[in-house]
Amino acid sequence: MSSNVFSFFIRHKWILLACSILIVYLLPYYILGENTHIRVHDNMDSNIVWYQLLAESGQIFAGPGETLPNVINGLPRSALPSALDAVVWLYVWFEPFTAYTISQTIMRFTALFGMYILLNRFLISGRSSSWISAGSALAFAMLPFWPSGVLTIAGLPLAFYLFLTIRKQGRNTPWYYWLILSLIPFLSNFILTFIFFLGIMGVLWLFDWLRSKQFNPPLFIAIAAMTSIYLIKNYMLIYTMFIDSSFSSHREENSLGHKDLAGTLELFERNFLNGHTHDLALHQSIVLPVLVGALFLSILRGGYPTRFILLFAATPVLSLWYAFWYWEGWRPLKDSIDILNTFNFARIHFFDPMIWYICFALALAIIAKQMIGGKWIVVILIALQCWNVSQVHEEIKYGEFNTPTFSGYYSTDLFDEIKDYIGKDPSSYRVVSAAMHPTIAQYNGFYTLDTYNNTYPLEYKHQFREVIGPELEKSPSLAHYFDTWGGRAYIYSSELGENYMFKKTSDRKIEELLLDTEALSELGGEYVLSGLPLENHEEIGLVLEEEFENESSPWRIYLYRIDDPVSL
């Protein structure tokens, strides 16, 4: 028995070593708990609160026509994930940060094993190269994936492996491959990546059929099954898009893509070299030079590794497509076809991290094989890249940026003090937030008139614009930001721009906030929670009730009450 265990460890030593390192990588979440620093953008300012609101609402199974009263006087249920989203249930069963930690663990280990088996069984075969596969997969698994996406990006290598196996083995594919394939949709986002993934699989299936004249039913069934599961999971979205003609989303006024040619090419360069905030591959300092070096090395040795060259070539193509989606030249087409405004086809760039690290592994295999001392060079390169990506661990990165911890960001004790001071049931009044994200108030049980959501009624966007319109007139850039997108229905300040976090150590003040408090009052607004003092609060009909702060919170909150509403 002991010899079998020993043999197992020896045979799988590299992936087990990678697992051990990944466990260490995850330890801060388990040890620090809510005192961990994590990402704010598209995370604490949005998704975490959406899940928490839904988990506490009692409306998980409500129909898409129902609303959640906590947000904008009735946020459509369809604006939040469906009851078939597995992450929703993590927030039902566990405390928010525990749910977040579990999703991080699922995401990281799926990325590790998915990339490892994809490389080891389809791209860099042979036990002698398994260490390259394990090292490359480890670096991939520690990337700063968009946290709330779970398997949206991190699960792509596993999904590719499953489909390639089904394509190759057909009816002989083990049953558990089908089970895993059917589970991926419940932990990933169809709109962001898997709609493109399934489209690519469909093209592959069609190509095989035309080339070999064989239909390949298992691959077709896999594509159809995964697509069907996604459609069922996203029944809320399907209903509002294709059935409910009474709902008009604020996205109907989306007008993305006004860059001139110079700005488009600049965006291409920036994305190719640095990536996008949601899919950073951290490839610029080590991975990209390694790829270029391996390519020249192959050519000098008279070899042309087709698979490597094609995948490497795909990286600038994806960046070019991403950049040109925002080119003004598309405007005539976008203005005439609604889906080109409401759906972002540029998001196929979320494939970037997977492609970069497949290329990285292929390049390392070339170097190990073709250079004198190549194996030691590859060991060093893997170690350097793993160190490189580990340094953007959320705790390290956001700790250095001095952003609040999870508990500090939401500051539940501080906001409990504010609720106690107001002394009324939060459902009986409405608040908005200035110089701070409104989801902080939402997380703490306040009913807010401002929000950040992927979709909400277009009519409400127009109503809310009356509140912030006078301030938007002072800033054409903020007006353009809200009018052409509007996902953040915030109390904007032209003095602060797109900055929404100011700690109590800040000496900033908002000198002039032109807020139409009469329009705000008509929506039911009674209070303004501000992270900075409003110097002109009396001019816009506000009364400063109290200032709130405590030792454990990074915020100082100024509570203003609408006393004599002013129309601007």
Side-chain angles (χ1 to χ4, degrees):
M1 184 70 174
S2 59
S3 62
N4 290 336
V5 173
F6 180 75
S7 176
F8 174 84
F9 275 93
I10 293 299
R11 189 165 63 253
H12 300 287
K13 58 182 177 295
W14 300 118
I15 188 61
L16 290 173
L17 176 61
C19 286
S20 301
I21 295 172
L22 194 57
I23 289 171
V24 173
Y25 177 90
L26 289 165
L27 279 180
Y29 298 105
Y30 289 89
I31 295 173
L32 298 175
E34 292 190 357
N35 291 319
T36 309
H37 295 85
I38 66 173
R39 178 183 174 123
V40 172
H41 177 62
D42 282 350
N43 195 37
M44 285 202 289
D45 70 349
S46 49
N47 296 79
I48 288 176
V49 179
W50 300 344
Y51 284 121
Q52 184 64 8
L53 279 176
L54 185 54
E56 295 178 344
S57 69
Q59 299 193 56
I60 293 177
F61 294 102
E66 300 297 321
T67 60
L68 278 73
N70 312 59
V71 183
I72 64 171
N73 286 327
L75 179 70
R77 171 63 185 85
S78 58
L80 298 175
S82 81
L84 298 177
D85 190 314
V87 180
V88 170
W89 292 99
L90 290 179
Y91 281 79
V92 171
W93 297 328
F94 304 99
E95 292 297 312
F97 192 80
T98 303
Y100 184 82
T101 300
I102 293 171
S103 68
Q104 278 282 335
T105 304
I106 294 171
M107 178 171 65
R108 301 294 170 185
F109 275 99
T110 302
L112 175 66
F113 283 103
M115 181 62 83
Y116 176 73
I117 57 178
L118 176 64
L119 293 173
N120 225 28
R121 299 185 185 179
F122 281 102
L123 296 166
I124 311 176
S125 58
R127 187 174 297 177
S128 61
S129 299
S130 63
W131 61 283
I132 295 178
S133 298
S136 302
L138 176 61
F140 175 75
M142 293 191 292
L143 285 176
F145 299 115
W146 171 50
S148 298
V150 193
L151 302 188
T152 300
I153 299 173
L156 286 172
L158 176 61
F160 265 111
Y161 168 73
L162 293 172
F163 273 87
L164 291 176
T165 302
I166 292 170
R167 178 190 183 219
K168 181 179 180 180
Q169 297 186 13
R171 292 182 176 87
N172 296 321
T173 304
W175 65 270
Y176 52 86
Y177 279 57
W178 293 93
L179 176 62
I180 297 171
L181 183 146
S182 68
L183 292 176
I184 290 175
F186 299 104
L187 285 160
S188 58
N189 190 295
F190 181 55
I191 299 300
L192 294 183
T193 59
F194 275 87
I195 190 171
F196 301 108
F197 170 84
L198 289 166
I200 292 170
M201 291 298 99
V203 170
L204 179 62
W205 170 80
L206 183 60
F207 173 78
D208 287 346
W209 187 17
L210 295 174
R211 184 184 61 175
S212 65
K213 308 301 181 184
Q214 294 183 357
F215 185 76
N216 195 343
L219 182 58
F220 178 81
I221 291 171
I223 297 168
M226 186 177 241
T227 302
S228 298
I229 293 171
Y230 272 116
L231 293 178
I232 294 170
K233 176 197 170 186
N234 290 282
Y235 64 88
M236 292 276 190
L237 178 64
I238 301 301
Y239 177 83
T240 55
M241 286 182 64
F242 301 107
I243 300 175
D244 185 9
S245 59
S246 65
F247 177 73
S248 296
S249 170
H250 84 280
R251 299 179 70 87
E252 293 181 15
E253 288 187 345
N254 278 10
S255 182
L256 304 178
H258 296 271
K259 290 186 177 293
D260 59 17
L261 185 59
T264 301
L265 293 176
E266 181 184 348
L267 181 60
F268 159 71
E269 179 186 3
R270 186 165 67 248
N271 188 77
F272 178 67
L273 294 178
N274 302 312
H276 184 276
T277 180
H278 288 131
D279 63 6
L280 293 175
L282 301 176
H283 59 281
Q284 59 270 44
S285 59
I286 296 174
V287 174
L288 181 56
V290 167
L291 267 55
V292 173
L295 180 61
F296 278 106
L297 180 62
S298 296
I299 294 173
L300 288 174
R301 296 295 177 90
Y304 294 90
T306 306
R307 185 180 296 167
F308 170 60
I309 292 172
L310 289 175
L311 285 169
F312 190 7
T315 57
V317 170
L318 287 178
S319 291
L320 197 64
W321 171 253
Y322 163 72
F324 269 87
W325 186 252
Y326 296 97
W327 177 47
E328 61 187 2
W330 280 95
R331 284 265 42 99
L333 202 56
K334 288 184 176 180
D335 291 339
S336 59
I337 303 176
D338 286 343
I339 195 172
L340 298 182
N341 268 321
T342 56
F343 183 80
N344 189 347
F345 286 88
R347 284 174 174 154
I348 196 172
H349 69 80
F350 284 160
F351 282 70
D352 278 344
M354 179 183 66
I355 295 174
W356 279 114
Y357 281 84
I358 290 174
C359 289
F360 184 52
L362 294 172
L364 294 176
I366 291 170
I367 293 170
K369 183 178 181 180
Q370 298 189 12
M371 285 188 68
I372 298 174
K375 289 186 178 180
W376 287 109
I377 294 173
V378 168
V379 168
I380 294 170
L381 289 172
I382 289 175
L384 287 174
Q385 185 59 14
C386 286
W387 174 259
N388 189 28
V389 296
S390 71
Q391 296 310 293
V392 292
H393 185 294
E394 287 187 293
E395 173 59 29
I396 296 174
K397 177 179 179 180
Y398 298 108
E400 289 179 351
F401 287 169
N402 199 28
T403 59
T405 62
F406 182 93
S407 62
Y409 182 81
Y410 293 118
S411 292
T412 54
D413 290 343
L414 182 66
F415 283 85
D416 283 344
E417 291 179 29
I418 300 174
K419 283 188 289 187
D420 290 342
Y421 177 87
I422 294 174
K424 298 186 290 185
D425 188 320
S427 65
S428 67
Y429 59 91
R430 300 293 184 268
V431 306
V432 292
S433 301
M436 57 187 288
H437 292 285
T439 43
I440 299 176
Q442 290 172 5
Y443 184 91
N444 284 286
F446 287 92
Y447 284 55
T448 73
L449 296 174
D450 46 355
T451 193
Y452 175 20
N453 284 102
N454 287 327
T455 183
Y456 62 89
L458 178 61
E459 180 184 5
Y460 188 83
K461 178 184 177 182
H462 295 160
Q463 293 172 339
F464 193 78
R465 199 191 192 287
E466 294 182 19
V467 177
I468 61 176
E471 189 68 20
L472 293 183
E473 290 180 9
K474 295 161 55 181
S475 173
S477 63
L478 284 177
H480 181 269
Y481 179 67
F482 180 77
D483 292 337
T484 62
W485 178 54
R488 293 186 190 271
Y490 279 23
I491 300 298
Y492 293 102
S493 165
S494 60
E495 298 168 37
L496 306 178
E498 295 176 37
N499 298 305
Y500 319 110
M501 288 201 306
F502 298 88
K503 293 186 176 181
K504 60 189 176 185
T505 54
S506 173
D507 58 359
R508 293 286 299 271
K509 298 178 181 179
I510 300 179
E511 299 293 338
E512 182 187 61
L513 181 67
L514 296 185
L515 196 64
D516 192 318
T517 50
E518 184 173 301
L520 181 59
S521 183
E522 289 173 359
L523 287 176
E526 291 187 46
Y527 296 97
V528 176
L529 306 173
S530 181
L532 294 174
L534 307 178
E535 294 295 282
N536 71 321
H537 65 272
E538 293 180 352
E539 298 172 20
I540 55 176
L542 300 178
V543 172
L544 177 61
E545 287 277 341
E546 189 60 85
E547 299 177 21
F548 297 87
E549 65 174 290
N550 62 35
E551 291 184 1
S552 62
S553 173
W555 315 125
R556 178 184 296 115
I557 305 301
Y558 298 82
L559 176 65
Y560 296 92
R561 176 174 52 83
I562 298 177
D563 181 53
D564 185 17
V566 174
S567 178
L568 299 177

